[in-house]
Amino acid sequence: MSRDSSRETRGAGGDGDGDHDGRGAVHHALAAAVSALTAEVAGLHEDRARRRLLDLATGVLVDQLRVTPAEAADHLLELAVSTGLSAGDLAADILNAAAKSLVAEVPAEARRIRRATAAVLATDTAGEAAVTLLDGGLRRIGVRTLYLWRRTGTDCLALAGQAGAGPQEARHWQWVPPDTPLHRVLWEGAAWWGVDDWLPGGSGTRAVLPLRRHGHVVGVALCVWDTAQEPDERIRRTAELLCEPCGALLGDAETPAGPAAEAALLEPASGPAVLLGAGARVEYANPAARTVLGAVRSPVGRSAAEVFPYAWSSIAPALDRIEPQRLGRVGGLDDVRVLPLGRGRAAVLWEAAALRSEALTRVLGRLERVGSFEEDLLTGAVRWSRETYTLFGLDPDAPPVPLTRLGGRLHPEDVPLLEVLLAALVEGRRGDRALVRVVRADGGVRHVRIAAEPLLSGAALTGLAGVYQDVSAQHRTEIALSAAQEDATARARFVLQLQRAIVPEAPSAAEPAGGLDLAVRYRPASQDYLVGGDWYDVLVLPDGRVLVAVGDVAGHGIDAATSMVVLRNALRGLAVTGAAPGRLMGWLNEVTLGTRGGPTATAVCAVYDPVAGSLRWAVAGHPPVLLLREGRARILEAPQNLLLGAVPGPVYEEAELGLLPGDTLLLYTDGFVERRHMSMDRSLAALRRAAQRVGAGPVEVMADALLTAVTGDTDDDTSLVVVRVPRTGAAPGAAAGPAPGAGR
C-alpha cells in the first residue's frame, strides 16, 4: 500500500510540475502582451501629440497665408522637405515664431518646449497632463513634483492632477480652502517664485503659476524643486511656457463676487475711505473720499499711487500684511488705516489734514460737530467759528478762549494732554492733536478732538490754527465696540468650555465599549482662546456594534465650534439607523452643506462588529487610520473621499478589516501629526515609528505616551482615539480588503 501511495504521490507531483510550467508560460505570455500593449499605447500618445502639433502649425499657416487647411498642410510638408527639417520640428518653429516672443535661445530647446505643450493639449485629463509635463519637459529644468489645482465656484482649489508626489501627500492636498499662499496667485493672476514651507514638497524653491482659460484664471500650477537655489530667467520662462496650456484642461471657473458688500459698509462712513482691488486700483470711493479727493478726477479706476502720490510709499507695504495697520499721519493724510480684505484687496481709511483758509472755514461750517479757530499771537486776536461756540456751549457774543487758556474748560485729568499739544505747537513748531473732555457751562461733558498747526513766518511763530471736532458719538461707539470685544472674548471662553464639555479631555473608560478597550485624548490649540473644531465620539449602537468617529471642522472660533457640535450630534442621531459608515458619511455631508456659515470638515467614521471581529470605515479627506499589530505599525489604506461640505451628492466608499485580539487602532486629527516643515508622508512615517516604540501597553498609558512623543507644530487642536481588541474573549477576524461600493 505504501508503494501505491508513493506512486500516486509521485504522479501527483509530476502533474503539479507540469501545471506549474504551464502557468509560468501563461504568465510570461501575459507579461509580453502587456508590454506590447503599453508600447503601442505610448506610440499612439506620441502620434496624437505629433498630430496636435501639426494641426496647430497648420492653423497658423491658414491665418497667415489666407489659404484652406488642406493647402496649408501641403505647404507645411513642402517646407519641411525644402528645409531638411522634420515636419514636427518645422511645426514647432512655426508656432514659436507666431508666439512673437523668444521661447528659448537654442532652437532645439524651443522645439522641445513646443512639442511638450502640444503633448499636453493632446491629453484628455489634467492628471495625464501633469505626468506628460513632468516627464516631457519640467524634469529637464530640475522640477521634482508638479501639482495642478482647479478653481471652484467658492474659490477653493481642487487637485486636478499631479506628478511626482507620494499618495499620502497628494491626498492631503486634494482640497485647499481659500486664503492660502496659492490663492494670492489665483486672485492677482501673477506668478510667484520663492520658498514657502507652508506649500507642499519640502523646503526647496516653489513656483506658483496662474492657469488661464479664455482670459480668466481657472486654476494654479505648483512646481517644486529639491533645492532652494533661485532659478534663472531661462528656467522661469520654460516653466511658465510648459504649464501655460494646462488651463485649457481645467474648464471655466465662476467669476468671483465684486466689491458691493465692502462698498456698502464704507458708504456711510463719516471719514474718507476707498476700496483697493487687484493691482492696487481704486474700486470704490465713498462720498467723503470723493469730496476730499476733488482734485483727482474720477479716482475710481485709477491706481492708488496716482490717488495718493505722497502717501503711497507708506501705504503699499501695509497691503501685504494680514492684520489691520494703523499708519498715523503720512503724506498729508491723518490717521491712515489699512484693512486687508483678502484676495489682494484692502480698504484705506483716513482723516483729511486741516488747512487754514476762509473757504475751509465755510466748508467746516457746513459740517456737523466741527468748528474752527485761528489765533494771531502778535496781536492776541482769537477767532472762533459759530460751530465752535456751539460745541463749547457758549454764547456767540462771549469772547473766544485762546488755546493756551483752554485748560479751565477741560476735565482736570486732560489738562496735561493740552500741555503736550501746546509744547508741540510752540516749542516743536509742528502740528499735533489731542483728545480731551470739555466740561460745558451747562454741566455736560463732550469728547473733543483738537487738531492744530503752527503758523510760521520764516522761523518765527506768528499764530495757531486748527479745528475742534466733537467725537462724543464716536467715543460712545468705541466704548460699545470695546464692550462687544469683551463680550466676544467671554463668548470664546464659554465656547471653549462648551467644547471641552462636549469633547472631554479624559472620559471614563472603566467599562469597555462593545468589547473594546478605549482611551481618548483632546489637546486644545496652543493659544488660550483659539477655539478649534476637533471632535470625536464613541457610541455603542442598538445592535451591539460600536461606532468610533473623529472629525475636524476647518477654522477656529465660535463658528467652528458650533459646526463641530452640529456634526457630532448629527452623526450620533444618524448612527442609530444601523447604516454603514459610507452611508453615514453621505448623510453627514448633506448636514454640513446645510449648516449655517458653509463649513467644511474632514472625518473618519468606523463601525466595529464584535461578533464578526471586523471593522468597516469610510474616510472624508481625513488622515488615515493606523494599525498596530504584533508590535508592527502600518497605515491602513482606504478609498480617499471628498471632505464634508465640499460638493453635494458624493459617494463615500468604504474599506473593511478583520481585527485580531490585541490589535490597536489609532484615529486622530491632523493637528496630532502635522508639522510646518515636514510633508504629510514623513509625518505619518514618524507616527508609525512612534507607535512601534511606545508599544501595545495599556491603552491609557499608550495614549499619554503618544501625546508626548508625537507633537504637531501648527498650533492646531488635537484629538486622539486609541482602540484595542482585548486578547481575552475576542473573535479573530478575516483578512483585510476593500469593501465594494459605499455604505448601504
Short mmCIF file of all heavy atoms in Angstrom, two decimals, residues 426-484:
data_model
loop_
_atom_site.label_atom_id
_atom_site.label_comp_id
_atom_site.label_asym_id
_atom_site.label_seq_id
_atom_site.Cartn_x
_atom_site.Cartn_y
_atom_site.Cartn_z
N VAL A 426 4.23 125.19 20.08
CA VAL A 426 5.04 126.37 20.41
C VAL A 426 6.53 126.05 20.41
O VAL A 426 7.34 126.80 19.84
CB VAL A 426 4.60 126.95 21.77
CG1 VAL A 426 5.47 128.15 22.14
CG2 VAL A 426 3.14 127.36 21.71
N GLU A 427 6.90 124.95 21.05
CA GLU A 427 8.33 124.62 21.15
C GLU A 427 8.81 123.78 19.96
O GLU A 427 9.90 123.99 19.44
CB GLU A 427 8.59 123.87 22.45
CG GLU A 427 8.24 124.69 23.70
CD GLU A 427 8.36 123.85 24.97
OE1 GLU A 427 8.91 122.72 24.89
OE2 GLU A 427 7.89 124.31 26.03
N GLY A 428 7.98 122.83 19.54
CA GLY A 428 8.40 121.95 18.45
C GLY A 428 8.10 122.50 17.08
O GLY A 428 8.61 121.97 16.08
N ARG A 429 7.28 123.57 17.01
CA ARG A 429 6.92 124.16 15.71
C ARG A 429 6.34 123.11 14.75
O ARG A 429 6.62 123.08 13.57
CB ARG A 429 8.14 124.82 15.03
CG ARG A 429 8.79 125.93 15.84
CD ARG A 429 7.87 127.15 15.94
NE ARG A 429 8.60 128.36 16.26
CZ ARG A 429 8.84 128.80 17.50
NH1 ARG A 429 8.41 128.09 18.54
NH2 ARG A 429 9.49 129.93 17.70
N ARG A 430 5.52 122.22 15.29
CA ARG A 430 4.92 121.17 14.46
C ARG A 430 3.47 120.96 14.88
O ARG A 430 3.09 121.22 16.02
CB ARG A 430 5.68 119.85 14.60
CG ARG A 430 5.79 119.34 16.02
CD ARG A 430 6.60 118.04 16.11
NE ARG A 430 6.81 117.63 17.48
CZ ARG A 430 5.95 116.98 18.23
NH1 ARG A 430 4.76 116.67 17.73
NH2 ARG A 430 6.23 116.64 19.48
N GLY A 431 2.67 120.49 13.92
CA GLY A 431 1.27 120.23 14.20
C GLY A 431 1.08 118.98 15.04
O GLY A 431 1.92 118.08 15.06
N ASP A 432 -0.02 118.94 15.75
CA ASP A 432 -0.32 117.78 16.59
C ASP A 432 -1.81 117.78 16.89
O ASP A 432 -2.55 118.67 16.43
CB ASP A 432 0.50 117.82 17.88
CG ASP A 432 0.70 116.43 18.47
OD1 ASP A 432 0.02 115.49 18.01
OD2 ASP A 432 1.54 116.27 19.38
N ARG A 433 -2.25 116.81 17.66
CA ARG A 433 -3.65 116.75 18.03
C ARG A 433 -3.78 116.12 19.40
O ARG A 433 -2.85 115.46 19.89
CB ARG A 433 -4.45 115.96 17.00
CG ARG A 433 -4.01 114.54 16.86
CD ARG A 433 -4.82 113.85 15.80
NE ARG A 433 -4.36 112.48 15.63
CZ ARG A 433 -5.00 111.59 14.90
NH1 ARG A 433 -6.10 111.95 14.26
NH2 ARG A 433 -4.55 110.37 14.79
N ALA A 434 -4.94 116.28 20.01
CA ALA A 434 -5.21 115.72 21.33
C ALA A 434 -6.70 115.45 21.45
O ALA A 434 -7.52 116.14 20.84
CB ALA A 434 -4.75 116.69 22.43
N LEU A 435 -7.04 114.45 22.24
CA LEU A 435 -8.43 114.11 22.52
C LEU A 435 -8.69 114.43 23.99
O LEU A 435 -8.06 113.83 24.88
CB LEU A 435 -8.70 112.64 22.22
CG LEU A 435 -10.13 112.15 22.46
CD1 LEU A 435 -11.10 112.90 21.56
CD2 LEU A 435 -10.23 110.64 22.21
N VAL A 436 -9.60 115.36 24.25
CA VAL A 436 -9.85 115.83 25.61
C VAL A 436 -11.34 115.83 25.90
O VAL A 436 -12.17 115.73 24.98
CB VAL A 436 -9.27 117.25 25.81
CG1 VAL A 436 -7.76 117.25 25.63
CG2 VAL A 436 -9.94 118.24 24.84
N ARG A 437 -11.67 115.98 27.20
CA ARG A 437 -13.06 116.11 27.62
C ARG A 437 -13.34 117.57 27.97
O ARG A 437 -12.68 118.13 28.87
CB ARG A 437 -13.32 115.21 28.82
CG ARG A 437 -13.41 113.73 28.48
CD ARG A 437 -13.34 112.87 29.71
NE ARG A 437 -11.99 112.88 30.28
CZ ARG A 437 -11.64 112.21 31.40
NH1 ARG A 437 -12.56 111.51 32.05
NH2 ARG A 437 -10.40 112.27 31.84
N VAL A 438 -14.28 118.15 27.26
CA VAL A 438 -14.67 119.54 27.50
C VAL A 438 -15.87 119.55 28.46
O VAL A 438 -16.87 118.87 28.21
CB VAL A 438 -15.03 120.25 26.18
CG1 VAL A 438 -15.64 121.62 26.47
CG2 VAL A 438 -13.79 120.38 25.31
N VAL A 439 -15.74 120.33 29.55
CA VAL A 439 -16.85 120.48 30.51
C VAL A 439 -17.59 121.77 30.15
O VAL A 439 -17.06 122.88 30.30
CB VAL A 439 -16.33 120.53 31.95
CG1 VAL A 439 -17.51 120.66 32.93
CG2 VAL A 439 -15.50 119.29 32.27
N ARG A 440 -18.81 121.63 29.65
CA ARG A 440 -19.58 122.78 29.19
C ARG A 440 -20.19 123.55 30.36
O ARG A 440 -20.26 123.05 31.50
CB ARG A 440 -20.68 122.31 28.23
CG ARG A 440 -20.15 121.76 26.92
CD ARG A 440 -21.17 120.89 26.20
NE ARG A 440 -22.48 121.49 26.12
CZ ARG A 440 -23.05 121.92 25.00
NH1 ARG A 440 -22.37 121.88 23.85
NH2 ARG A 440 -24.26 122.41 25.00
N ALA A 441 -20.64 124.77 30.05
CA ALA A 441 -21.24 125.62 31.08
C ALA A 441 -22.50 125.00 31.66
O ALA A 441 -22.85 125.22 32.83
CB ALA A 441 -21.55 126.99 30.51
N ASP A 442 -23.21 124.18 30.86
CA ASP A 442 -24.44 123.55 31.34
C ASP A 442 -24.18 122.25 32.10
O ASP A 442 -25.10 121.53 32.47
CB ASP A 442 -25.40 123.28 30.19
CG ASP A 442 -24.76 122.40 29.11
OD1 ASP A 442 -23.66 121.87 29.32
OD2 ASP A 442 -25.39 122.25 28.02
N GLY A 443 -22.88 121.94 32.33
CA GLY A 443 -22.52 120.74 33.08
C GLY A 443 -22.30 119.51 32.23
O GLY A 443 -21.83 118.47 32.73
N GLY A 444 -22.64 119.57 30.95
CA GLY A 444 -22.43 118.43 30.07
C GLY A 444 -20.96 118.24 29.73
O GLY A 444 -20.15 119.17 29.79
N VAL A 445 -20.60 117.02 29.41
CA VAL A 445 -19.22 116.68 29.05
C VAL A 445 -19.21 116.19 27.61
O VAL A 445 -20.00 115.32 27.24
CB VAL A 445 -18.63 115.61 29.99
CG1 VAL A 445 -17.23 115.23 29.53
CG2 VAL A 445 -18.60 116.11 31.43
N ARG A 446 -18.32 116.77 26.79
CA ARG A 446 -18.17 116.37 25.39
C ARG A 446 -16.75 115.89 25.16
O ARG A 446 -15.79 116.47 25.70
CB ARG A 446 -18.47 117.54 24.44
CG ARG A 446 -19.74 118.30 24.72
CD ARG A 446 -20.97 117.45 24.57
NE ARG A 446 -21.19 117.05 23.19
CZ ARG A 446 -22.16 116.23 22.81
NH1 ARG A 446 -22.97 115.71 23.72
NH2 ARG A 446 -22.33 115.92 21.54
N HIS A 447 -16.61 114.85 24.38
CA HIS A 447 -15.28 114.39 23.97
C HIS A 447 -14.92 115.12 22.68
O HIS A 447 -15.63 115.00 21.67
CB HIS A 447 -15.27 112.88 23.74
CG HIS A 447 -15.38 112.09 25.02
ND1 HIS A 447 -16.56 111.91 25.68
CD2 HIS A 447 -14.43 111.46 25.76
CE1 HIS A 447 -16.35 111.19 26.77
NE2 HIS A 447 -15.06 110.91 26.84
N VAL A 448 -13.82 115.90 22.73
CA VAL A 448 -13.46 116.78 21.63
C VAL A 448 -12.03 116.48 21.18
O VAL A 448 -11.11 116.38 22.01
CB VAL A 448 -13.57 118.27 22.05
CG1 VAL A 448 -13.08 119.18 20.93
CG2 VAL A 448 -15.00 118.60 22.42
N ARG A 449 -11.87 116.33 19.86
CA ARG A 449 -10.53 116.18 19.29
C ARG A 449 -10.06 117.55 18.82
O ARG A 449 -10.77 118.24 18.07
CB ARG A 449 -10.54 115.19 18.13
CG ARG A 449 -9.16 115.06 17.47
CD ARG A 449 -9.17 114.10 16.29
NE ARG A 449 -9.28 112.72 16.75
CZ ARG A 449 -10.27 111.90 16.43
NH1 ARG A 449 -11.26 112.35 15.66
NH2 ARG A 449 -10.30 110.66 16.87
N ILE A 450 -8.85 117.95 19.24
CA ILE A 450 -8.24 119.21 18.82
C ILE A 450 -7.13 118.88 17.85
O ILE A 450 -6.21 118.12 18.17
CB ILE A 450 -7.66 120.00 20.02
CG1 ILE A 450 -8.70 120.13 21.14
CG2 ILE A 450 -7.17 121.36 19.57
CD1 ILE A 450 -8.13 120.72 22.41
N ALA A 451 -7.21 119.44 16.65
CA ALA A 451 -6.13 119.30 15.66
C ALA A 451 -5.65 120.70 15.32
O ALA A 451 -6.45 121.55 14.90
CB ALA A 451 -6.63 118.58 14.41
N ALA A 452 -4.35 120.96 15.51
CA ALA A 452 -3.84 122.32 15.34
C ALA A 452 -2.51 122.32 14.60
O ALA A 452 -1.77 121.34 14.65
CB ALA A 452 -3.68 123.00 16.70
N GLU A 453 -2.24 123.45 13.93
CA GLU A 453 -0.99 123.64 13.19
C GLU A 453 -0.40 124.99 13.58
O GLU A 453 -1.15 125.97 13.79
CB GLU A 453 -1.24 123.61 11.68
CG GLU A 453 -1.63 122.26 11.13
CD GLU A 453 -0.45 121.31 11.03
OE1 GLU A 453 0.71 121.80 10.98
OE2 GLU A 453 -0.68 120.08 11.01
N PRO A 454 0.93 125.11 13.67
CA PRO A 454 1.55 126.42 13.93
C PRO A 454 1.60 127.25 12.65
O PRO A 454 1.76 126.70 11.54
CB PRO A 454 2.96 126.04 14.40
CG PRO A 454 3.25 124.74 13.72
CD PRO A 454 1.92 124.02 13.62
N LEU A 455 1.42 128.55 12.77
CA LEU A 455 1.56 129.47 11.64
C LEU A 455 2.90 130.17 11.79
O LEU A 455 3.16 130.83 12.80
CB LEU A 455 0.41 130.48 11.63
CG LEU A 455 -1.00 129.87 11.59
CD1 LEU A 455 -2.04 130.98 11.61
CD2 LEU A 455 -1.16 128.98 10.38
N LEU A 456 3.76 129.98 10.79
CA LEU A 456 5.13 130.47 10.87
C LEU A 456 5.38 131.54 9.83
O LEU A 456 4.85 131.49 8.71
CB LEU A 456 6.11 129.31 10.68
CG LEU A 456 5.97 128.12 11.64
CD1 LEU A 456 6.91 126.99 11.24
CD2 LEU A 456 6.26 128.56 13.08
N SER A 457 6.21 132.48 10.20
CA SER A 457 6.75 133.46 9.25
C SER A 457 8.25 133.30 9.32
O SER A 457 8.92 133.84 10.21
CB SER A 457 6.33 134.88 9.64
OG SER A 457 6.89 135.81 8.74
N GLY A 458 8.78 132.49 8.36
CA GLY A 458 10.18 132.10 8.49
C GLY A 458 10.29 131.13 9.65
O GLY A 458 9.62 130.10 9.69
N ALA A 459 11.15 131.47 10.62
CA ALA A 459 11.30 130.62 11.80
C ALA A 459 10.45 131.12 12.96
O ALA A 459 10.41 130.50 14.02
CB ALA A 459 12.77 130.56 12.21
N ALA A 460 9.77 132.27 12.78
CA ALA A 460 9.01 132.88 13.87
C ALA A 460 7.59 132.34 13.91
O ALA A 460 6.93 132.22 12.88
CB ALA A 460 8.98 134.39 13.71
N LEU A 461 7.12 132.02 15.11
CA LEU A 461 5.75 131.55 15.32
C LEU A 461 4.84 132.76 15.43
O LEU A 461 4.97 133.58 16.34
CB LEU A 461 5.67 130.71 16.60
CG LEU A 461 4.29 130.17 16.96
CD1 LEU A 461 3.81 129.16 15.93
CD2 LEU A 461 4.33 129.53 18.35
N THR A 462 3.89 132.89 14.50
CA THR A 462 3.02 134.06 14.47
C THR A 462 1.58 133.75 14.85
O THR A 462 0.80 134.66 15.12
CB THR A 462 3.02 134.69 13.07
OG1 THR A 462 2.53 133.72 12.13
CG2 THR A 462 4.43 135.11 12.67
N GLY A 463 1.21 132.47 14.84
CA GLY A 463 -0.17 132.16 15.17
C GLY A 463 -0.42 130.67 15.21
O GLY A 463 0.47 129.84 14.97
N LEU A 464 -1.67 130.33 15.51
CA LEU A 464 -2.13 128.95 15.57
C LEU A 464 -3.45 128.84 14.82
O LEU A 464 -4.24 129.79 14.81
CB LEU A 464 -2.33 128.49 17.02
CG LEU A 464 -1.14 128.59 17.97
CD1 LEU A 464 -1.58 128.24 19.39
CD2 LEU A 464 -0.02 127.66 17.53
N ALA A 465 -3.68 127.73 14.21
CA ALA A 465 -4.94 127.48 13.51
C ALA A 465 -5.29 126.02 13.66
O ALA A 465 -4.41 125.15 13.74
CB ALA A 465 -4.84 127.86 12.04
N GLY A 466 -6.58 125.74 13.70
CA GLY A 466 -6.98 124.35 13.84
C GLY A 466 -8.47 124.19 13.90
O GLY A 466 -9.24 125.10 13.60
N VAL A 467 -8.88 122.99 14.31
CA VAL A 467 -10.30 122.67 14.40
C VAL A 467 -10.56 121.94 15.71
O VAL A 467 -9.68 121.29 16.29
CB VAL A 467 -10.76 121.78 13.22
CG1 VAL A 467 -10.66 122.51 11.91
CG2 VAL A 467 -10.00 120.46 13.18
N TYR A 468 -11.80 122.11 16.18
CA TYR A 468 -12.35 121.31 17.27
C TYR A 468 -13.41 120.39 16.66
O TYR A 468 -14.30 120.84 15.94
CB TYR A 468 -13.00 122.20 18.33
CG TYR A 468 -12.05 123.14 19.04
CD1 TYR A 468 -12.12 124.52 18.82
CD2 TYR A 468 -11.11 122.65 19.93
CE1 TYR A 468 -11.27 125.39 19.48
CE2 TYR A 468 -10.24 123.51 20.60
CZ TYR A 468 -10.33 124.88 20.37
OH TYR A 468 -9.47 125.74 21.02
N GLN A 469 -13.31 119.11 16.98
CA GLN A 469 -14.28 118.15 16.45
C GLN A 469 -14.92 117.40 17.61
O GLN A 469 -14.23 116.77 18.42
CB GLN A 469 -13.61 117.15 15.50
CG GLN A 469 -14.59 116.14 14.90
CD GLN A 469 -13.90 115.10 14.04
OE1 GLN A 469 -12.67 114.95 14.11
NE2 GLN A 469 -14.67 114.39 13.24
N ASP A 470 -16.23 117.47 17.69
CA ASP A 470 -16.97 116.75 18.72
C ASP A 470 -17.08 115.29 18.31
O ASP A 470 -17.78 114.94 17.35
CB ASP A 470 -18.36 117.37 18.88
CG ASP A 470 -19.14 116.75 20.05
OD1 ASP A 470 -18.67 115.73 20.59
OD2 ASP A 470 -20.20 117.29 20.41
N VAL A 471 -16.36 114.42 19.02
CA VAL A 471 -16.34 112.98 18.69
C VAL A 471 -17.03 112.17 19.78
O VAL A 471 -16.72 110.99 19.98
CB VAL A 471 -14.89 112.49 18.47
CG1 VAL A 471 -14.28 113.14 17.25
CG2 VAL A 471 -14.04 112.73 19.71
N SER A 472 -17.94 112.80 20.50
CA SER A 472 -18.61 112.09 21.59
C SER A 472 -19.34 110.85 21.08
O SER A 472 -19.29 109.78 21.71
CB SER A 472 -19.60 113.03 22.28
OG SER A 472 -18.94 114.16 22.81
N ALA A 473 -20.02 110.99 19.93
CA ALA A 473 -20.74 109.83 19.38
C ALA A 473 -19.77 108.71 19.02
O ALA A 473 -20.01 107.53 19.28
CB ALA A 473 -21.54 110.25 18.15
N GLN A 474 -18.62 109.09 18.42
CA GLN A 474 -17.62 108.09 18.07
C GLN A 474 -17.06 107.44 19.32
O GLN A 474 -16.80 106.23 19.36
CB GLN A 474 -16.49 108.75 17.26
CG GLN A 474 -15.38 107.79 16.88
CD GLN A 474 -14.29 108.48 16.06
OE1 GLN A 474 -14.51 109.53 15.49
NE2 GLN A 474 -13.11 107.89 16.05
N HIS A 475 -16.86 108.27 20.39
CA HIS A 475 -16.33 107.72 21.63
C HIS A 475 -17.30 106.69 22.21
O HIS A 475 -16.88 105.63 22.69
CB HIS A 475 -16.09 108.86 22.63
CG HIS A 475 -15.52 108.40 23.94
ND1 HIS A 475 -14.22 107.98 24.06
CD2 HIS A 475 -16.08 108.30 25.17
CE1 HIS A 475 -13.99 107.65 25.32
NE2 HIS A 475 -15.11 107.83 26.02
N ARG A 476 -18.59 107.02 22.16
CA ARG A 476 -19.56 106.05 22.67
C ARG A 476 -19.55 104.78 21.83
O ARG A 476 -19.70 103.67 22.36
CB ARG A 476 -20.96 106.68 22.65
CG ARG A 476 -21.16 107.75 23.73
CD ARG A 476 -22.63 108.11 23.87
NE ARG A 476 -23.16 108.73 22.66
CZ ARG A 476 -23.15 110.04 22.44
NH1 ARG A 476 -22.64 110.87 23.35
NH2 ARG A 476 -23.66 110.54 21.33
N THR A 477 -19.35 104.96 20.52
CA THR A 477 -19.26 103.78 19.66
C THR A 477 -18.06 102.92 20.03
O THR A 477 -18.14 101.69 20.08
CB THR A 477 -19.16 104.22 18.18
OG1 THR A 477 -20.31 104.99 17.84
CG2 THR A 477 -19.06 103.00 17.27
N GLU A 478 -16.91 103.58 20.30
CA GLU A 478 -15.71 102.84 20.67
C GLU A 478 -15.92 102.09 21.99
O GLU A 478 -15.45 100.97 22.16
CB GLU A 478 -14.52 103.78 20.78
CG GLU A 478 -14.06 104.33 19.43
CD GLU A 478 -12.96 105.36 19.57
OE1 GLU A 478 -12.64 105.73 20.73
OE2 GLU A 478 -12.41 105.78 18.54
N ILE A 479 -16.64 102.74 22.93
CA ILE A 479 -16.93 102.06 24.19
C ILE A 479 -17.80 100.84 23.93
O ILE A 479 -17.59 99.76 24.49
CB ILE A 479 -17.62 103.04 25.17
CG1 ILE A 479 -16.63 104.13 25.62
CG2 ILE A 479 -18.18 102.29 26.38
CD1 ILE A 479 -17.26 105.18 26.50
N ALA A 480 -18.80 101.03 23.03
CA ALA A 480 -19.67 99.91 22.70
C ALA A 480 -18.89 98.78 22.02
O ALA A 480 -19.09 97.60 22.31
CB ALA A 480 -20.81 100.38 21.79
N LEU A 481 -17.94 99.17 21.12
CA LEU A 481 -17.12 98.16 20.45
C LEU A 481 -16.23 97.43 21.45
O LEU A 481 -16.02 96.22 21.36
CB LEU A 481 -16.28 98.81 19.36
CG LEU A 481 -17.04 99.29 18.12
CD1 LEU A 481 -16.09 100.05 17.19
CD2 LEU A 481 -17.67 98.12 17.39
N SER A 482 -15.68 98.20 22.41
CA SER A 482 -14.85 97.59 23.43
C SER A 482 -15.66 96.60 24.25
O SER A 482 -15.20 95.49 24.56
CB SER A 482 -14.26 98.67 24.34
OG SER A 482 -13.49 98.10 25.38
N ALA A 483 -16.89 97.00 24.59
CA ALA A 483 -17.75 96.09 25.33
C ALA A 483 -18.07 94.85 24.49
O ALA A 483 -18.12 93.73 25.01
CB ALA A 483 -19.04 96.81 25.74
N ALA A 484 -18.28 95.10 23.19
CA ALA A 484 -18.57 93.97 22.30
C ALA A 484 -17.37 93.03 22.22
O ALA A 484 -17.53 91.80 22.17
CB ALA A 484 -18.94 94.48 20.91
#
